[in-house]
Structures are given as structure tokens and as C-alpha cells.
Amino acid sequence: MMIGTCVWLLGTRLGFFTFLGEATRTYELQDLLMLSLCMSLGLVAASVRKSLKLRRAMRDRDGAEAQAESVARHDALTGLANRRLFRETLEARIQGGSDAAGVPRIAVMLIDLDRFKPVNDLHGHAAGDAALCVVADRLRLLRPAQGFLARLGGDEFALLVDPGDDLEVLARLAQGIIASISQPIAWEQGHLEIGATVGITTATEECRIAEALLHSADVAMDQGKRDGRATFRFFHLDMGHALKARARLEGELRVGIERGEIEPFYQPVVSLPGRDLIGFEVLARWNHPQHGILGPDAFITLAEETDQIAELTWGLMRKACADARQWPAHLQLAVNISPIQLRDPRLPERILAILTETGFAPYRLEIEITETALVNDLEAARTALTSLQAFGIRVALDDFGTGYSSLYHLRELRFDKLKIDRSYVEAMRLSSERAKLVDAIIALGSSLGLLTTAEGIETGSSVDWLAGQGCTYGQGYLFGKPQDKGITDELLVQWTDAAGRIVIAPSPMETTESRSGSNPILSAPPVPDHVAA
Ligand code: C2E
Ligand code: CA
Ligand code: CA
């Protein structure tokens, strides 16, 4: 209106309307009429301008909304769909098409990377991100035409495909995915190596809900991980049953820990070559009310996965320290600590509290940690190691040689002892290559000023050879299997000689075996060439 009024004012002042004067006179139109005409024109112009502006704002808003939608449904790093969009697509496809029996034609593949965490930890997050992007690109290439690919989070990807009529096709696709992801990924001067485990599920009459499908694929993938990784598994109902059994065991373990059903068993450790007992490794056993004595394979991983490992370990350590206080004061105890526990910044404090509570001297305690703990968080391990050693507690690197960068960790952290893994000790009896490795590990240990324990010694010939190479301690069935407190008490009495020395003497069978030469290992001693020379 303002514009119209102004136009009219200007028009009348400047005489723009004189040419209209005739017309107004002719048609006897008044100034007032002219004014309202101009005002109407102004009104139309203003509203056109406003509507154009409004349309532009709406277009901008729609664009921003679409962008926000896209961001909310895509993974920023790889550009793939995220979990939310994957679920929506899965639900839409479930609604979308079914076969004659009314079952949706859907297969879900869950792809979980193997060894991704060490890449992140050892090479940094930039390397981890680069690896994820390469994996995403490789998966894009392998995705079937109608397939829908997503990164569900972390190192977990998912692929939604038509199951076709032949499960073999899905199996081949999974194999292709695993093979492709396992190819080295170039990074800086070297390369990164990861793998993948795939869980596959297809919609069935019973299982046709998005949540259930994702869960079944997850269960199948978990099974693949347990079966050794770098493999694929199809979900089947037995896995569901296994899951239920696991849930039951988890509950029983919780109660078991509370009731003190987890008991320490003691395996002797001797010095070489004299076989003097220097102490025991504490190995957990579950005295289950229905199933009897269960080994650690049945419950340690479960305890780790269900957050019960700390409580389990502290209970076990308390009992072991109380038991060992009644034994000769020079006998030591070695306790296994799970990698997860090293993340607890108060770990050294907690251990010290148990030692104080039970009156067990710190210098009698050794903590065994595996390499996995170091790979997960080297800095946390370094801090824990330093504090434990400051309290006088020794730290041993367990299962040496089974990790993938043992030397790196030995250089980075100051251990007191190396435990050579049983697999080496077993194999050295059969292959001179392995024997050379064991020899090299012992030499490495002594060059770093570390004590060495060979695990899993089962034959007398291994003892002589290991002692000859300078291995400090030995542990294995040859000297004794893990036993409970009662039997250990009796054995201690048996092993103690008149002078009070505790020695595990060679068994008569061992000596006969040596003399007869019937042991194939003795007839072909595992002495490495360069040592023999
Ligand atoms: P590990 O720490 O390497 O313990 C040595 C394992 O080798 C024990 O198995 C022991 O019984 C077995 N072993 C020792 N000598 C011989 C031998 O001469 N021949 C053979 N064939 N085996 C031998 P176990 O007791 O079944 O323990 C298995 C693993 O479970 C342990 O391996 C350790 O990693 C874990 N574990 C046991 N107790 C605990 C615990 O309290 N806490 C944690 N975090 N892990 C534990
Ligand atoms: Ca151990
Ligand atoms: Ca070990």
C-alpha cells in the first residue's frame, strides 16, 4: 500500500498523470480513484515479492531438512547408510514383498571386522578410519544389484540382500566379502591387516521382524567369532538355544561367584635344572553344584563378557593368598589377570588391598598378563605395570609368542618374566625349527634380563634341553597338574625332603623312559643346529 501511495504522490507531483488527465476527465475519474488504483498495484507487487521470498525460504528449508535427514541416516565417515536407515529399509522390505508362503524374501548379513581394534590402538585412529573407508569401498563393489549396504557402527557393517533360491549363493558372497576384506590395506609405508566374520540369517515364518533378523544375524556372527573368526555362519535355531543356555550359565556364575564356588587350583612351578619348587600358578576352577568341577574355558570368557571377571579374580586371589600364607614363605603365587581388568586404573590399589587384608607379602605375588591386554591399551598397561612393580609385585608376560607383536611389547614395557607358550614347548619336541625359536626366545629373555618359564612341559627330555638353553623355570604336567588346596597340601609334604628342601624329583617312569630310549623325542633330540655346533 505504501508503494502504491508513493507512486501516486510522485505521479501527481511530477505530472506523470497529465497524459491521463484527459482520460480522467473523459471518464470523470477522480484523484481518489487513481490513488486506489496505484495502491492496488502496489499491493499486488508486494504480495508477489513476498510469495517469491516465501518460496525461496521454503526451498532453503526443504534443502536443509533433506540434508539433516541425510546426515541423520548416513555414516559421516564412509558415506554408507547408518543403522537407522538400515532398519527402516529392512522394515520397508519386510512389508514390501513376500513369497507364496507369505515370508519376506530377505537375507541379512552382519559383517564384523576382525583385528580392527589393534589397528586403531597400534597405528592410531587415522589408520582405523582409513581402514573403515577401504572396507566400505570394497563392500560397495561386492554388493549385489538390489543389495542395501550400511555401517551399523564401530567395525560392524550389514548387507541386506535377496536370499535367492540357493543358499550357496549367499555363502559365496560371504566368502567373497571375507576374502576381499582380508586383503592388506596400504597405510603409510606399510600395510594394515584386518579380517571379517559374517553372520547370515534369512527371514522365515517364525523370524520376520527387523529386530529378530538383526539379532539372529548377530548370534550367527558371534558363533563365527567363537569358531575362530575369518569365517561365516548361517543362523540356525540351535544357536538360539545355545544363547539361552549361556544366559542361564551367566546367572549361575553370578550366584556362584557370590557363594565362593570359584576355587583356586595350584600348578607347581619349578626352577631348572634342579626342580626345586618355587611356587604355583593359580588356575580358576568352578565347583558347580550340578556339573562338578569346570575348567576356565567354561566360564572365564563368560565372566569377561558379562562384567564379572573383576569380582571373580578378587575372590580367587583372596582365597589363594590365604591358602599360600600357610605354605613355606619362599613359595610364590602367580595370578592371571584378564586383559579387561587392566583398564581399571585402580587395579594396583585393589591388588594391594587384598595383599594387606590377607597378610600376603607383595614380593611373593606375580601377576600374569597376556599380550591382548597390551594391544588393547598400551598406556594403561604401562601405568599398571609401573605401579605394581613399585609395590614389589612382579609382572610376567604370559603365552609369549602367541601374540602378533611380542617383540614390540617387550621393548615398550619392562616385564620381570616371560612365559613361553605351551604350543612352542609342545612343538619343539617335534620340529627343530620350533626348537630354534624356543632357543631364540630364551636368549632374548636373558639378553633383556628377564626370567623365563617354559609352560606345558610333559617330558623329561624337554626339561634337560630347556635347562641347557638357560631357561629359568618350568611348569607342566611333568611336574604336576593343577590341584586343589587339599591335594596341594599333601603334595607339599611329599615333596619336602629331610633337609626341608621342596623338590619335585623325576618320576621312576621318566627315568626308565630316558634309559630305554623308547621316547621318539629322545632318539631325535630337538637340538637346533647352531646350538649343537
Ligand atoms: P594359562 O594361563 O596359559 O594357564 C596354563 C594352562 O595350561 C592351564 O590350563 C594348565 O592346566 C595348562 N597346562 C599346564 N601344563 C600343561 C601341560 O603340561 N600340558 C597341557 N596340555 N596343559 C598344561 P587351564 O587351567 O585350563 O587354564 C586355561 C587358561 O584359562 C589359562 O591359560 C588362563 O589363560 C585362563 N585362566 C585360568 N585361570 C584364570 C583366572 O583366574 N583368571 C583369568 N583371567 N584367566 C584364567
Ligand atoms: Ca597364565
Ligand atoms: Ca600361559
Side-chain angles (χ1 to χ4, degrees), residues 331-350:
L331 294 183
Q332 303 166 1
L333 278 188
V335 175
N336 293 283
I337 291 288
S338 154
I340 301 171
Q341 294 182 267
L342 271 199
R343 287 189 216 140
D344 174 5
R346 297 187 57 203
L347 178 100
E349 251 175 79
R350 292 187 210 278

Side-chain angles (χ1 to χ4, degrees), residues 281 368 398-399 419 421 455:
E281 174 170 3
E368 295 191 2
D398 202 359
D399 304 341
K419 293 194 78 177
D421 190 63
E455 294 187 294

